[in-house]
Each structure stands twice: as C-alpha cells, then as structure tokens.
Amino acid sequence: GAVVSQHPSWVICKSGTSVKIECRSLDFQATTMFWYRQFPKQSLMLMATSNEGSKATYEQGVEKDKFLINHASLTLSTLTVTSAHPEDSSFYICSARGKGPGPNYGYTFGSGTRLTVV
Amino acid sequence: DAKTTQPNSMESNEEEPVHLPCNHSTISGTDYIHWYRQLPSQGPEYVIHGLTSNVNNRMASLAIAEDRKSSTLILHRATLRDAAVYYCILRRGLPSGNTPLVFGKGTRLSVIA
C-alpha cells in the first residue's frame, strides 16, 4: 500500500533557529501534500495544501513566511519552521495524495514530527 | 464543509464489539464518509469510507443510515491496539481530488482488558 515517510520523528531546537521536516511518498507519486499541526489534546489543524511545482496554499492564520513549504518533486515535500519559538512546539503531520481511480483515492499520513523549541 | 458530531469518548471491553456513532445531518449528495483513527503519537491511519451503502473491510464495518445523516463505525472485536481517537470526516467527491481532510474532535476510544 501507499507509504509516507516523515522525518525526523522528533526534534529539539533552540529558539530562533530553523527546522526542516521532510515528507516523502515512497511508493507513489504525491500530486498533493497537506501539512497539519496538532497541539496536545487537540485535533489536527490544516496548515497548508501544496501541489507539486506550485506554491502552497495556506490556511487563514498560518504565516507563510514562517512556515515555508516546498513541494519540488512528486515524492518530496518539506516544511521549514523558520525562527522557531516555543509556541511553535507541536506535532506536525504531513499527508500525501496521489493520482488514482477517482475522488476516493486515499490520503496517506506520515508518522508525524514532534517539534520542541527551547 | 458539512460538519460531523461525535461523542468525545467511549469505552469498550476487550473482545467485544464497538459501535462508534457519527452524526452528519448537513451531508450533501456528493459527500463521502471517511473514518480515520489516530493512535497515540502517530499520524492518522485510514479505516474505511463509504458513500451510500454499508461497507466492510478487514479493519471494520461502516453502517450508513438510509438518509445518510448518520453513520456508525463498527469494530467487531475490540483489542487493546484499537485504543485510539476515531475521526469521522466528510469529504466532497470533487473530480480535482485535492481537497484536504478536515478533522473534527473525534471520539477517544478506550479499551479495557
């Protein structure tokens, strides 16, 4: 089945530094990737949608200059948290969707990245 | 997007069936009903989806009301590994196919040994 690999699984960084999270589709071409973040005890909140080769579309309230999304190939999308601050500490999850037989083609999620900013 | 309503939490004994309800009274004709679950510290995983007819797969069954305003996810024999947050999500079946899944609060299922 479809597999999405997300790295790193956890990262601790100092306040003010940048962190890059990678999301790779291992056995299919991901035409669309979605990035979510999840705070403790809360649900997943959509941050942005990216289509291969296009600029990402960000949800309202998500700073595009702070959360840089690159989807340069059909198998790789990256999320860079720039100038991270403690309030950016969260669980970040990617989801990939490929071409398929129709609108029901599956959404496959990565295992998530726990970011802690100290 | 049409909204779904689920109980915050449910509890089940191991080896017993579990029925997880979801109300979606504003569902439209082209909305598919998806169920995902999220185990602790992991990304969500697909469970099942359907449109109008009941669906079965190796993980679960999905029972959809005739008027489609509610559905029930059925785990036939709960195991400790089924303890997770279960999300019922409506997704419009647009041809473009790049609409995201929008997560509600879900139901936290606890399984007691």
Side-chain angles (χ1 to χ4, degrees):
Chain A
V3 178
V4 170
S5 175
Q6 185 173 343
H7 290 282
S9 55
W10 61 270
V11 58
I12 302 173
C13 72
K14 290 184 178 180
S15 188
T17 61
S18 296
V19 173
K20 181 183 284 189
I21 301 169
E22 289 191 350
C23 182
R24 292 181 184 273
S25 56
L26 298 185
D27 51 2
F28 68 101
Q29 294 185 325
T31 53
T32 307
M33 285 200 179
F34 309 95
W35 287 94
Y36 297 81
R37 68 179 162 183
Q38 184 175 32
F39 294 107
K41 304 292 186 184
Q42 294 187 23
S43 186
L44 285 76
M45 294 183 343
L46 180 68
M47 299 176 67
T49 300
S50 75
N51 294 300
E52 185 263 339
S54 303
K55 286 185 179 180
T57 302
Y58 290 81
E59 295 299 299
Q60 193 171 8
V62 178
E63 301 173 57
K64 62 177 72 174
D65 294 330
K66 181 170 185 61
F67 299 99
L68 301 179
I69 292 172
N70 185 284
H71 191 173
S73 79
L74 284 171
T75 58
L76 174 66
S77 177
T78 60
L79 167 67
T80 301
V81 183
T82 62
S83 187
H85 288 101
E87 57 265 30
D88 298 323
S89 298
S90 187
F91 192 52
Y92 292 86
I93 306 167
C94 68
S95 173
R97 191 163 194 263
K99 300 174 185 178
N104 288 322
Y105 197 71
Y107 296 76
T108 306
F109 288 81
S111 54
T113 298
R114 182 153 317 275
L115 169 64
T116 302
V117 185
V118 297
Chain B
D1 291 320
K3 190 175 176 180
T4 62
T5 304
Q6 299 177 252
N8 290 333
S9 62
M10 289 185 67
E11 205 171 77
S12 171
N13 292 319
E14 199 177 11
E15 303 293 318
E16 290 188 357
V18 182
H19 291 230
L20 297 163
C22 180
N23 287 321
H24 28 78
S25 58
T26 59
I27 191 170
S28 75
T30 56
D31 284 341
Y32 287 81
I33 302 162
H34 290 249
W35 283 83
Y36 280 74
R37 71 180 186 181
Q38 185 178 24
L39 279 65
S41 299
Q42 293 189 31
E45 68 171 333
Y46 170 81
V47 178
I48 202 166
H49 78 276
L51 182 61
T52 56
S53 302
N54 294 345
V55 184
N56 298 298
N57 66 21
R58 63 175 180 82
M59 286 182 73
S61 295
L62 176 60
I64 301 173
E66 200 167 325
D67 63 5
R68 300 213 320 130
K69 293 187 177 182
S70 66
S71 61
T72 302
L73 178 70
I74 303 165
L75 305 179
H76 295 287
R77 288 178 64 200
T79 70
L80 296 177
R81 288 180 294 179
D82 292 322
V85 179
Y86 287 78
Y87 296 98
C88 168
I89 303 167
L90 299 184
R91 184 189 168 271
R92 192 141 297 172
L94 296 173
S96 63
N98 62 354
T99 52
L101 293 178
V102 178
F103 288 78
K105 295 182 179 179
T107 296
R108 182 174 298 277
L109 174 67
S110 301
V111 180
I112 302 168

